[in-house]
C-alpha cells in the first residue's frame, strides 16, 4: 500500500510539473517595424527563444510564473511579467547612446557610439528584400560609398563589380578586400543570403590600416549567423521568380532592313550591285514565301520571354548556455533565357545550380574557454551553350549582319536546318543551340574555421587570448560536350533541291568530350591575438595585439599546385582605443605586413592610422540647451594603407629578371639543334606595393528621439607609388623594362546618408536616402609629353576616354569645303568634328577627353517603407551619374550590326534638319569612323532604377497556433523593375565597349517564410 501511495504522489508531481509549463508567443518590433534576432529569456533560466525575420517568437516550455527579458543589439532591454495570457507583444526602444550596439570592424567589433572610423553596414533583413541569386546585387544603392555595377545577367556570372569610394589607381585590382568570418575570400557573390547576419564596409584608414598591404581599396566584411540561447528555431523559406531581360536591341524586320541596306549601296555609288530586285523586295514585304524570302527575328527564335529562378533554404538555430548552433542548407536554381529545343540531346542552355551548406557551432567548455567551429561548403554548376566561334558569345553573333532577318530561314521546307547564303556567314543559331553541345563548369568550395578564446582574468582583468586556424579548398573542373560542325542545307526553290552547306559535315557526328580537372587551390589563415578591455571609472580602454599569416597556393597551367604561384602574407596588428565617458574618443591602429610578391629587402612595411572623435551630445551644455539632439559625434581619421592587388604575374615575380626560350642553334658536325635562351623582362628588386594616404572627417547625428538620423563624410585619398609599366623609353633599348613605383592619383569625395522613421498608431514608416561622390585625377604616370595639353592622360580621371568632339553633320558640299580638312573623304551627312588645335586639319591631334570613365563618380539610393499590423511594404530606388557607355560596333554601327530603330533617324536630304544618325554606308571607317572615336558614339550611362520592390503579409499567431507554426509570411518582390535613362540601346550598367553580354535581368518573385 505504501508503494502505491508513493507512485501516486510521483505521478501527480509530474503531472503538476507539466501543468505548470505552457506555450507562449508574440511579436517584437520597434517604431519602424518587426525586429529579427531579439533574444527572449525567462529570467534566471535557460528557457528562451529568438525572434525570426518578421519579429515573431515562440517559447514552448514557458513556466507559469516568472519574468520575460527582451534584449537585442542597439535596443534597451525590456521585461514582461508572465501572467495567464499566452501572447506578449513588445515594442523595443532604440538605445540612443549606442553603448550596446556593436559594429563589425577588422579583427573584432566596436561599439557604434564610440566608433571613430568610417564604417557602413547592412542587415540580412534589408538584403533579403532583393530576390537576386548573387549576394553582391543586393548591396547596390543601400550602402553609401559602395559603387556596384552589374555588367551581365548570365546565370552564375552576374556578380556586380564592387568599388569602395570609387577608384584610386590606374592599375588593375581596384576591388575591395573580401573577408567572410575573418577569412579572405575571392568572391562573396555565391553566399546564401539566409546565412548572413550583416555586412560591413570599411572605408577610411582607421578602419582598414589593420589590413596593411591589402587595405587601400577598402574592405567588405561578411558576418554569418550564429546560434542564440533558447529552443530550436526552424526556419524554411522558398522563393520562385520569373526573369526577363531589362533591355534587348530593337531590330528592324527584313523588309525595312533591306530598304536601309539598299540606301547604303546607293550612298556609296554601288546601286547596281544591290543583290535584290524590286520584285524580291516586294516578296519580303508581303512575307508569303518565308522559305525563300525570310523574315527571321533570331532573338525570338532562340529566346523565351522569361525563365524561372527558384531558391530554397532551411535553417535551424538555438542552444544552451554551453552549446549554441546555427545550421543552414540552401539551393538556388537560376535558369537561362534560351529555349530547350526538342531535337537537342543535351542541356545546351544557360543555367546555374548552387547548393550551400553552413554549420556554425559555439561551445562553452568552461567559464574561461570558448571554442567555435565553422564549416561551410558550396557546390556550383554553371552551364552555357558551346559557341561555334571561339571568343564570340551567342549574343555577339546575333548582333552581326550574318543574322540579318533576311539572310536565311531557320528551317527549310523539309524541316532540315537552313544554311546561310555564303560560306563565310555564321551557322544557323537554332542548329547551333540544338546540336553544338555545352560548356559546363563545376566549382566546389570547402571552408573550415576553428577558433578558441580563453579569458586570462587570473593574469589581468579584461585580458583574453584568441587563436584561429582556417582552411579553404577550392576545386574547379570543366566538362565540354560538343560538336564542331553539323549538317545544314541551302534550299534551291528553282529545282526544289537541298545543297549541303559544309561538305566536311555530311552527317551528324558524335559528341566530343573535353575535360579539365584542376587540382585544388588551397588557402590557409592562421591568427593569434591578445585582447584587453577594461573600464576604470569613466575611462574605457581596449588593446589588441595580433599575428596573422595567410597563404594562397594557385595551380599552374597543368592544374597542379605550384609553389611558385603562391601569395603569402605575414604581419602584426596593433590597435588601442580609449574613450572618456563615451565622450572623448581616440583610436590608434598599426599594421606591419609583408608579401612574398616583393623582394625580401622591401617586403614589409608599416601602416599607421589614428582617429579621434568628440560626442558633443554627451556634454552638459548640449543636453541642457539642445534636448532634441539625441546623439551628435564628430570624428576624423588619418593614416597610410597599401595595395598589392595590381595584377602582377605570380609565375615570374616582378622583382626577378626572367629568361625565355629564343630560337635554336646548331653545333657540331651533325648540326645538332640546341634551344636558345634570351633575356626577358627585367626585374626590379626595389618594387613595392602601392600606398595610399587616407584622410577622413565626418559626423553622425540623431535627432527627435532618434526619428531623424544623418551621417556625413568627406574624404581625401592620395595614392602614390602606383606600380607602372614604363612607356617613355623607346624600343631601341631592346628589352622589356621592369615595373616601377611612380604613379600618383588623387581621389576626393563625400558621402551623405539621411534617414527618418516614425510610427503613428499601428502604422510605422521610414525613409532613407544616400549619395556618394568620388572624383579621381591622375597626378603622375609614365607618359611622354604630348604636343597639346588635351592629349595628356595626366590630369584626367582614371581611364578617361579620348576621341573627337562631334559638332554636327556635314550639310552640303560647301560645308565640307569650308570645314577643316580630313583624310576621311567625308560625304554630305557624315559626322563633323571640332578642330581643337585650329590648324585646319582633323587628325589625332584633335582627340581630346570626351565623356566620363566607365565607373560612375556619383551613386545614390532612396529606400521607403511602411508596415501596418501584418502588412509591410518597401521600395528601393538606385542610380548612378557621370559615367559613359560605349556600345560595341555590332550593336550600333550600320552594316556591321543589324539595322535597328535608331538607324531610322539617319541623315537624308529630306531629314537633314532632324537627323539623329549619320548617313548610311556599306563599309566601316570614313568620316563616321568607329564607335571608339567620337562623342557621337559615346552614350551617357546616367540612370535611375527601381531596384527593389516588396510587399508582404504576416499571418496572425492565433491562426498559426492551431497548426503548430510559429510564424508564416508570404510576400511578392521584384528587382530591376524599371529604369529611367537616355541610353535606350542597352542596359546602362553594361560594360563599355560591349553590347553582346548576356542581358541584365529583371525579376518578379513570390515567396514565403515559415518558422517553427
Amino acid at each position: 500500500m505504501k508503494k502505491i501511495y508513493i507512485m501516486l504522489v510521483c505521478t501527480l508531481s509530474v503531472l503538476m510539473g507539466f501543468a505548470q509549463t505552457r506555450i507562449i508567443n508574440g511579436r517584437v518590433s520597434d517604431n519602424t517595424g518587426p525586429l529579427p534576432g531579439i533574444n527572449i529569456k525567462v529570467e534566471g533560466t535557460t528557457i528562451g527563444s529568438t525572434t525570426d525575420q518578421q519579429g515573431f517568437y515562440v517559447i514552448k516550455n514557458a513556466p507559469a510564473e516568472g519574468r520575460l527579458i527582451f534584449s537585442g543589439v542597439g535596443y534597451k532591454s525590456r521585461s514582461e511579467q508572465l501572467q495567464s495570457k499566452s501572447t506578449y507583444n513588445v515594442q523595443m526602444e532604440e538605445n540612443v547612446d549606442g553603448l550596446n550596439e556593436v559594429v563589425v570592424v577588422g579583427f573584432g567589433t566596436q561599439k557604434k557610439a564610440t566608433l571613430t572610423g568610417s564604417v557602413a553596414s547592412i542587415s540580412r533583413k534589408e538584403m533579403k528584400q532583393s530576390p537576386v541569386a548573387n549576394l553582391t546585387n543586393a548591396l547596390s544603392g543601400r550602402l553609401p560609398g559602395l559603387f556596384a555595377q552589374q555588367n551581365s545577367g548570365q546565370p552564375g556570372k552576374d556578380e556586380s563589380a564592387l568599388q569602395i569610394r570609387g577608384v584610386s589607381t590606374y592599375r588593375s585590382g581596384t576591388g575591395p578586400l573580401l573577408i567572410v568570418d575573418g577569412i579572405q575570400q575571392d568572391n562573396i557573390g555565391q553566399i546564401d543570403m539566409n546565412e548572413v547576419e550583416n555586412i560591413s564596409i570599411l572605408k577610411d584608414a582607421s578602419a582598414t590600416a589593420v589590413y596593411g598591404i591589402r587595405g587601400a581599396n577598402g574592405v567588405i566584411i561578411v558576418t554569418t549567423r550564429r546560434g542564440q540561447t533558447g529552443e530550436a528555431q526552424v526556419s524554411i523559406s522558398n522563393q520562385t521568380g520569373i526573369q526577363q531581360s531589362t533591355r534587348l536591341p530593337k531590330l528592324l524586320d527584313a523588309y525595312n532592313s533591306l530598304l536601309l541596306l539598299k540606301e547604303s549601296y546607293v550612298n556609296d555609288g554601288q546601286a547596281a550591285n544591290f543583290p535584290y530586285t524590286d520584285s524580291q523586295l516586294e516578296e519580303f514585304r508581303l512575307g508569303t514565301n518565308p522559305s525563300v524570302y525570310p523574315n527571321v527575328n533570331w532573338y525570338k527564335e532562340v529566346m523565351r520571354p522569361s525563365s524561372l529562378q527558384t531558391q530554397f533554404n532551411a535553417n535551424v538555430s538555438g542552444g544552451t548556455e554551453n552549446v549554441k548552433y546555427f545550421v543552414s542548407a540552401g539551393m538556388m536554381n537560376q535558369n537561362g533565357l534560351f529555349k530547350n529545343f526538342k531535337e537537342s540531346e543535351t542541356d545546351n542552355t544557360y543555367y546555374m545550380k548552387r547548393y550551400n551548406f553552413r554549420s556554425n557551432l559555439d561551445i562553452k567548455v568552461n567559464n574561461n574557454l570558448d571554442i567555435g567551429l565553422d564549416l561551410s561548403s558550396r557546390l556550383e554548376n554553371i552551364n552555357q551553350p558551346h559557341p561555334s566561334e571561339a571568343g564570340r558569345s551567342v549574343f555577339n553573333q546575333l548582333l552581326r549582319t550574318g543574322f540579318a532577318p533576311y539572310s536565311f530561314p531557320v528551317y527549310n521546307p523539309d524541316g532540315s536546318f537552313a544554311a546561310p547564303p555564303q560560306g563565310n556567314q555564321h551557322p544557323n543559331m537554332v542548329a547551333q543551340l540544338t546540336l553544338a553541345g555545352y560548356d559546363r563548369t563545376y566549382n566546389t568550395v570547402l571552408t573550415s574555421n576553428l577558433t578558441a578564446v580563453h579569458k586570462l582574468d587570473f593574469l589581468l582583468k579584461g585580458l583574453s587570448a584568441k587563436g584561429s586556424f582556417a582552411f579553404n579548398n577550392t576545386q574547379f573542373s570543366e566538362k565540354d560536350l560538343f560538336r564542331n560542325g553539323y549538317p545544314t542545307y541551302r534550299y534551291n526553290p528553282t529545282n526544289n533541291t537541298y545543297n549541303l552547306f559544309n561538305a566536311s559535315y555530311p552527317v551528324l557526328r558524335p559528341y566530343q568530350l573535353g575535360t579539365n580537372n584542376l587540382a585544388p587551390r588551397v588557402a590557409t589563415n592562421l591568427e593569434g591575438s591578445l585582447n584587453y578591455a577594461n573600464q576604470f571609472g569613466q575611462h574605457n580602454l581596449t588593446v589588441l595585439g595580433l599575428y596573422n599569416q595567410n597563404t594562397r597556393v594557385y595551380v599552374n597551367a597543368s592544374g597542379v599546385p605550384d609553389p611558385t604561384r603562391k601569395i603569402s602574407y605575414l604581419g602584426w596588428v596593433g590597435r588601442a582605443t580609449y574613450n572618456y565617458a563615451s565622450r572623448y574618443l581616440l583610436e590608434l591602429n598599426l599594421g606591419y605586413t609583408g608579401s612574398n610578391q616583393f623582394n625580401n629587402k622591401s617586403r614589409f612595411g608599416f601602416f599607421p592610422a589614428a582617429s579621434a572623435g568628440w560626442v558633443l551630445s554627451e556634454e552638459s551644455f548640449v543636453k541642457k540647451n539642445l534636448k532634441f539632439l539625441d546623439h551628435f559625434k564628430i570624428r576624423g581619421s588619418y593614416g597610410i594603407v597599401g595595395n598589392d592587388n595590381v595584377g602582377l604575374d605570380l609565375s615570374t615575380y616582378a622583382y626577378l629578371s626572367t629568361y625565355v626560350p629564343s630560337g635554336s642553334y646548331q653545333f657540331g658536325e651533325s648540326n645538332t639543334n640546341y634551344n636558345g635562351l634570351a633575356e626577358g623582362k627585367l626585374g626590379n628588386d626595389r618594387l613595392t606595393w602601392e600606398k595610399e594616404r587616407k584622410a577622413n572627417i565626418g559626423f553622425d547625428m540623431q535627432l527627435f528621439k532618434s526619428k531623424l538620423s544623418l551621417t556625413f563624410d568627406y574624404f581625401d585619398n592620395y595614392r602614390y607609388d602606383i606600380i607602372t609599366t614604363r612607356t617613355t623609353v623607346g624600343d631601341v633599348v631592346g628589352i622589356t623594362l621592369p615595373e616601377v613605383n611612380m604613379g600618383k592619383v588623387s581621389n576626393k569625395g563625400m558621402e551623405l546618408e539621411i534617414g527618418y522613421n516614425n510610427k503613428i498608431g499601428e502604422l510605422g514608416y521610414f525613409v532613407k536616402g544616400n549619395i556618394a561622390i568620388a572624383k579621381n585625377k591622375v597626378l603622375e604616370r609614365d607618359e611622354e609629353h604630348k604636343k597639346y595639353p588635351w592629349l595628356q592622360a595626366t590630369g584626367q580621371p582614371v581611364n578617361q576616354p579620348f576621341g573627337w568632339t562631334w559638332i554636327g553633320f556635314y550639310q552640303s558640299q560647301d560645308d565640307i569645303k569650308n570645314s577643316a580638312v580630313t583624310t576621311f573623304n567625308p560625304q554630305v551627312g557624315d559626322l563633323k568634328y571640332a578642330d581643337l588645335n585650329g590648324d585646319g586639319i582633323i587628325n589625332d591631334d584633335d582627340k581630346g577627353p570626351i565623356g566620363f570613365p566607365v565607373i560612375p563618380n556619383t551613386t545614390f539610393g532612396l529606400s521607403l517603407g511602411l508596415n501596418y499590423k501584418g502588412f509591410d511594404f518597401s521600395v528601393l530606388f538606385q542610380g548612378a551619374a557621370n559615367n559613359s557607355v560605349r556600345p560595341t560596333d555590332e550593336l550600333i554601327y550600320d552594316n556591321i550590326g543589324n539595322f535597328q530603330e535608331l538607324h531610322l533617324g539617319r541623315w537624308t536630304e529630306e531629314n537633314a534638319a532632324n537627323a539623329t544618325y549619320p548617313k548610311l554606308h556599306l563599309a566601316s571607317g570614313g568620316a563616321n569612323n568607329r564607335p571608339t572615336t567620337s562623342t557621337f558614339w559615346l552614350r551617357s550611362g546616367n540612370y535611375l532604377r527601381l531596384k527593389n520592390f516588396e510587399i508582404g503579409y504576416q499571418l496572425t499567431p492565433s491562426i498559426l497556433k492551431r497548426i503548430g507554426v510559429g510564424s508564416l509570411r508570404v510576400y511578392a518582390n521584384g528587382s530591376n523593375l524599371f529604369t529611367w535613362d537616355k541610353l535606350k540601346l542597352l542596359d546602362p550598367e553594361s560594360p563599355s565597349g560591349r553590347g553582346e553580354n548576356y542581358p541584365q535581368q529583371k525579376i518578379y518573385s513570390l515567396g514565403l517564410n515559415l518558422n517553427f
Side-chain angles (χ1 to χ4, degrees):
M1 186 68 183
K2 185 177 180 179
K3 293 182 178 179
I4 296 175
Y5 176 75
I6 294 174
M7 292 176 62
L8 288 173
V9 172
C10 292
T11 302
L12 288 173
S13 298
V14 172
L15 291 175
M16 290 177 66
F18 279 112
Q20 290 175 348
T21 62
R22 57 199 173 112
I23 298 176
I24 62 173
N25 59 57
R27 194 181 199 190
V28 182
S29 61
D30 64 2
N31 57 5
T32 65
L35 291 177
I38 298 296
N39 296 318
I40 305 99
K41 289 183 64 176
V42 178
E43 189 176 32
T45 73
T46 60
I47 300 171
S49 181
T50 305
T51 56
D52 62 22
Q53 188 67 24
Q54 298 307 311
F56 285 93
Y57 69 92
V58 176
I59 300 177
K60 298 179 181 178
N61 57 346
E65 297 180 352
R67 183 176 293 275
L68 293 178
I69 305 298
F70 297 80
S71 62
V73 174
Y75 293 89
K76 295 180 179 179
S77 295
R78 282 201 54 174
S79 66
E80 289 284 330
Q81 185 68 42
L82 285 173
Q83 303 173 7
S84 59
K85 65 179 182 178
S86 60
T87 300
Y88 297 83
N89 296 325
V90 171
Q91 182 168 345
M92 303 285 284
E93 182 181 352
E94 188 173 359
N95 191 357
V96 176
D97 61 21
L99 293 178
N100 292 326
E101 186 174 359
V102 296
V103 176
V104 178
V105 296
F107 304 112
T109 59
Q110 292 186 22
K111 295 177 182 178
K112 184 176 181 180
T114 56
L115 179 68
T116 52
S118 182
V119 179
S121 62
I122 182 176
S123 68
R124 179 177 73 258
K125 177 182 176 182
E126 293 175 276
M127 288 185 289
K128 289 196 66 178
Q129 294 171 349
S130 302
V132 293
N134 196 289
L135 176 65
T136 60
N137 297 329
L139 304 179
S140 183
R142 298 192 182 274
L143 292 167
L146 183 66
F147 291 63
Q149 279 187 310
Q150 183 187 354
N151 295 151
S152 171
Q154 181 177 342
K157 298 182 180 181
D158 54 351
E159 187 166 357
S160 288
L162 303 177
Q163 281 88 29
I164 294 177
R165 291 184 165 175
V167 173
S168 296
T169 178
Y170 51 76
R171 188 82 183 199
S172 62
T174 60
L177 177 67
L178 305 175
I179 303 291
V180 179
D181 289 338
I183 307 169
Q184 182 177 344
Q185 303 286 347
D186 288 334
N187 67 76
I188 59 174
Q190 299 303 338
I191 298 175
D192 190 333
M193 277 190 283
N194 292 280
E195 299 175 1
V196 177
E197 184 66 31
N198 58 64
I199 294 179
S200 296
I201 62 170
L202 315 184
K203 298 181 281 188
D204 70 338
S206 176
T208 64
V210 290
Y211 291 100
I213 204 171
R214 300 175 291 166
N217 294 331
V219 183
I220 295 180
I221 300 178
V222 179
T223 303
T224 61
R225 297 169 63 184
R226 311 204 72 82
Q228 303 290 335
T229 302
E231 294 186 352
Q233 302 290 308
V234 180
S235 177
I236 297 174
S237 63
N238 184 75
Q239 190 169 253
T240 301
I242 295 175
Q243 303 175 96
Q244 296 178 339
S245 297
T246 58
R247 194 167 293 172
L248 290 173
K250 298 178 180 179
L251 303 180
L252 299 181
D253 61 15
Y255 176 70
N256 286 290
S257 295
L258 285 170
L259 291 181
L260 295 185
L261 179 63
K262 182 178 182 179
E263 187 176 313
S264 302
Y265 273 86
V266 172
N267 291 341
D268 287 353
Q270 300 186 43
N273 297 327
F274 182 62
Y276 298 95
T277 64
D278 290 343
S279 61
Q280 288 174 322
L281 287 177
E282 183 65 12
E283 291 281 0
F284 279 106
R285 188 184 70 83
L286 295 174
T288 54
N289 190 359
S291 296
V292 181
Y293 305 102
N295 181 24
V296 180
N297 186 324
W298 287 98
Y299 278 96
K300 289 186 177 180
E301 292 293 334
V302 303
M303 297 174 67
R304 46 191 172 189
S306 62
S307 63
L308 285 179
Q309 174 181 294
T310 57
Q311 180 269 339
F312 174 83
N313 177 270
N315 62 75
V316 57
S317 65
T320 65
E321 293 291 339
N322 295 324
V323 179
K324 302 172 187 176
Y325 56 88
F326 171 77
V327 180
S328 173
M331 180 274 295
M332 171 65 71
N333 190 355
Q334 189 180 15
N335 289 320
L337 289 173
F338 285 178
K339 296 178 180 178
N340 292 311
F341 298 100
K342 62 181 180 180
E343 299 93 342
S344 179
E345 301 171 340
T346 61
D347 195 345
N348 300 341
T349 187
Y350 287 94
Y351 69 72
M352 186 273 288
K353 297 178 181 179
R354 188 188 74 209
Y355 305 91
N356 298 75
F357 172 80
R358 180 174 295 275
S359 170
N360 290 346
L361 183 66
D362 296 299
I363 303 172
K364 187 179 183 65
V365 179
N366 54 46
N367 290 334
N368 293 320
L369 179 60
D370 295 315
I371 293 177
L373 177 61
D374 300 347
L375 298 173
S376 65
S377 65
R378 185 173 73 245
L379 308 177
E380 301 171 19
N381 177 1
I382 300 176
N383 197 83
Q384 64 183 35
H386 182 80
S388 65
E389 293 182 74
R392 291 197 183 278
S393 72
V394 171
F395 293 95
N396 179 282
Q397 297 177 54
L398 289 175
L399 287 170
R400 299 175 73 87
T401 54
F403 284 101
Y406 52 80
S407 292
F408 61 101
V410 178
Y411 300 101
N412 292 312
D414 66 348
S416 62
F417 286 114
Q422 293 94 27
N424 61 348
Q425 296 293 312
H426 298 279
N428 187 315
M429 183 57 71
V430 175
Q432 182 182 154
L433 295 176
T434 304
L435 303 173
Y438 61 77
D439 295 339
R440 189 172 298 170
T441 61
Y442 301 89
N443 194 30
T444 304
V445 181
L446 175 65
T447 303
S448 59
N449 187 18
L450 177 65
T451 62
V453 179
H454 198 290
K455 295 180 181 179
L456 302 175
D457 288 334
F458 63 92
L459 295 176
L460 180 64
K461 183 181 178 181
L463 182 66
S464 64
K466 179 180 180 180
S468 68
F469 177 76
F471 175 83
N472 179 279
N473 181 289
T474 301
Q475 172 71 61
F476 180 84
S477 62
E478 297 176 332
K479 177 184 177 183
D480 304 330
L481 196 65
F482 63 95
R483 295 186 179 99
N484 287 325
Y486 29 83
T488 57
Y489 302 88
R490 295 195 190 97
Y491 173 61
N492 187 338
T494 305
N495 52 18
N496 197 31
T497 58
Y498 298 86
N499 300 314
L500 185 65
F501 174 67
N502 190 334
S504 300
Y505 301 101
V507 296
L508 191 62
R509 296 180 177 178
Y511 283 109
Q512 301 179 54
L513 177 63
T515 59
N516 184 18
N517 296 309
L518 298 182
R521 188 191 66 203
V522 176
T524 58
N525 188 79
L526 177 65
E527 288 181 9
S529 65
L530 286 175
N531 298 268
Y532 176 75
N534 210 342
Q535 182 174 354
F536 308 92
Q538 297 194 74
H539 302 273
N540 298 277
L541 176 66
T542 70
V543 180
L544 166 69
L546 179 141
Y547 168 82
N548 174 268
Q549 182 176 327
N550 181 284
T551 302
R552 314 170 71 131
V553 180
Y554 294 83
V555 297
N556 58 25
S558 301
V560 178
D562 186 351
T564 65
R565 294 175 59 83
K566 178 175 69 175
I567 298 180
S568 295
Y569 298 99
L570 188 150
W572 290 264
V573 172
R575 176 165 57 214
T577 69
Y578 167 80
N579 75 76
Y580 175 77
S582 298
R583 186 185 311 166
Y584 308 115
L585 319 172
L586 178 66
E587 179 174 338
L588 300 175
N589 288 279
L590 176 65
Y592 180 70
T593 315
S595 168
N596 70 325
Q597 295 188 82
F598 307 103
N599 187 284
N600 55 11
K601 297 179 181 179
S602 55
R603 183 163 291 175
F604 287 87
F606 284 99
F607 303 92
S611 59
W614 180 21
V615 184
L616 278 79
S617 55
E618 291 298 308
E619 299 289 354
S620 58
F621 67 88
V622 175
K623 290 182 177 181
K624 180 179 179 180
N625 299 305
L626 301 175
K627 295 183 179 180
F628 62 89
L629 185 62
D630 304 309
H631 179 74
F632 182 44
K633 176 177 61 179
I634 300 174
R635 50 185 167 76
S637 66
Y638 183 90
I640 305 295
V641 285
N643 174 44
D644 72 329
N645 182 23
V646 292
L648 296 177
D649 189 352
L650 296 180
S651 61
T652 56
Y653 293 113
Y655 62 86
L656 297 175
S657 296
T658 61
Y659 297 88
V660 295
S662 177
S664 61
Y665 302 89
Q666 295 180 342
F667 293 93
E669 296 180 357
S670 59
N671 291 329
T672 303
N673 285 325
Y674 293 90
N675 292 329
L677 199 62
E679 189 174 32
K681 187 175 184 178
L682 290 179
N684 178 3
D685 60 1
R686 296 183 179 181
L687 190 72
T688 66
W689 50 87
E690 299 179 347
K691 303 173 184 66
E692 180 162 302
R693 182 209 66 201
K694 289 178 178 286
N696 189 94
I697 188 169
F699 64 83
D700 307 303
M701 184 184 298
Q702 292 183 355
L703 305 93
F704 311 117
K705 296 183 179 180
S706 298
K707 293 178 182 178
L708 177 64
S709 62
L710 189 149
T711 298
F712 173 82
D713 281 276
Y714 171 81
F715 63 90
D716 183 346
N717 296 339
Y718 170 67
R719 184 78 61 96
Y720 59 99
D721 281 352
I722 297 175
I723 298 178
T724 304
T725 302
R726 301 297 299 262
T727 61
T728 56
V729 181
D731 293 338
V732 69
V733 175
I735 56 174
T736 303
L737 295 171
E739 309 278 7
V740 294
N741 295 105
M742 67 175 302
K744 298 176 183 178
V745 170
S746 170
N747 183 28
K748 301 178 182 180
M750 56 78 65
E751 297 157 1
L752 176 65
E753 183 177 41
I754 301 176
Y756 183 80
N757 65 82
N758 199 3
K759 192 166 187 177
I760 304 174
E762 295 188 70
L763 176 66
Y765 62 92
F766 72 89
V767 180
K768 184 163 66 174
N770 68 79
I771 183 171
I773 300 172
K775 295 183 178 181
N776 61 59
K777 182 169 67 173
V778 177
L779 301 179
E780 182 181 335
R781 64 183 303 170
D782 192 50
E783 181 183 24
E784 66 274 17
H785 180 72
K786 301 293 179 64
K787 190 175 181 180
Y788 300 101
W790 58 79
L791 300 176
Q792 300 285 151
T794 303
Q796 299 294 334
V798 174
N799 296 323
Q800 169 68 46
F802 284 76
W804 291 300
T805 301
W806 173 62
I807 57 174
F809 303 104
Y810 290 108
Q811 297 296 336
S812 64
Q813 288 296 331
D814 286 340
D815 189 8
I816 296 175
K817 182 179 179 180
N818 296 326
S819 299
V821 178
T822 76
T823 59
F824 309 138
N825 297 319
Q827 295 185 24
V828 176
D830 286 351
L831 300 179
K832 183 179 179 180
Y833 305 119
D835 181 12
L836 295 186
N837 61 0
D839 64 355
I841 302 174
I842 302 296
N843 54 25
D844 286 347
D845 289 341
D846 299 298
K847 288 183 177 180
I850 58 175
F852 294 94
V854 177
I855 298 174
N857 65 30
T858 303
T859 61
F860 46 87
L862 175 66
S863 56
L864 315 165
L866 56 85
N867 62 86
Y868 178 75
K869 294 184 177 180
F871 290 94
D872 61 89
F873 161 81
S874 66
V875 63
L876 170 67
F877 294 91
Q878 175 263 330
N882 297 333
N883 71 301
S884 297
V885 177
R886 178 175 56 81
T888 185
D889 294 3
E890 292 85 352
L891 177 64
I892 194 173
Y893 200 77
D894 53 288
N895 287 298
I896 291 179
N898 286 314
F899 287 110
Q900 303 180 51
E901 290 183 1
L902 72 101
H903 296 116
L904 295 176
R906 81 282 185 200
W907 190 97
T908 62
E909 291 183 359
E910 298 76 18
N911 189 42
N914 301 312
T916 57
Y917 191 90
K919 189 176 187 178
L920 299 178
H921 294 284
L922 285 175
S924 61
N928 295 341
N929 221 289
R930 301 294 290 273
T932 58
T933 52
S934 79
T935 55
F936 177 83
W937 303 109
L938 212 59
R939 297 291 193 265
S940 169
N942 298 355
Y943 70 93
L944 172 65
R945 196 193 300 274
L946 176 53
K947 189 68 177 179
N948 291 116
F949 172 92
E950 182 174 85
I951 185 170
Y953 178 71
Q954 182 80 43
L955 274 69
T956 59
S958 58
I959 297 175
L960 301 174
K961 280 193 301 184
R962 302 172 186 173
I963 57 176
V965 176
S967 66
L968 173 62
R969 177 176 181 262
V970 293
Y971 60 90
N973 57 20
S975 180
N976 291 345
L977 300 181
F978 299 102
T979 303
W980 295 269
D981 67 309
K982 297 181 179 180
L983 186 58
K984 307 305 179 186
L985 289 170
L986 68 165
D987 192 277
E989 292 189 80
S990 298
S992 188
R994 306 290 295 276
E996 74 277 15
N997 274 28
Y998 192 105
Q1000 282 86 341
Q1001 300 294 290
K1002 63 178 71 174
I1003 305 172
Y1004 304 91
S1005 182
L1006 296 174
L1008 62 85
N1009 296 120
L1010 185 64
N1011 297 277
F1012 298 91

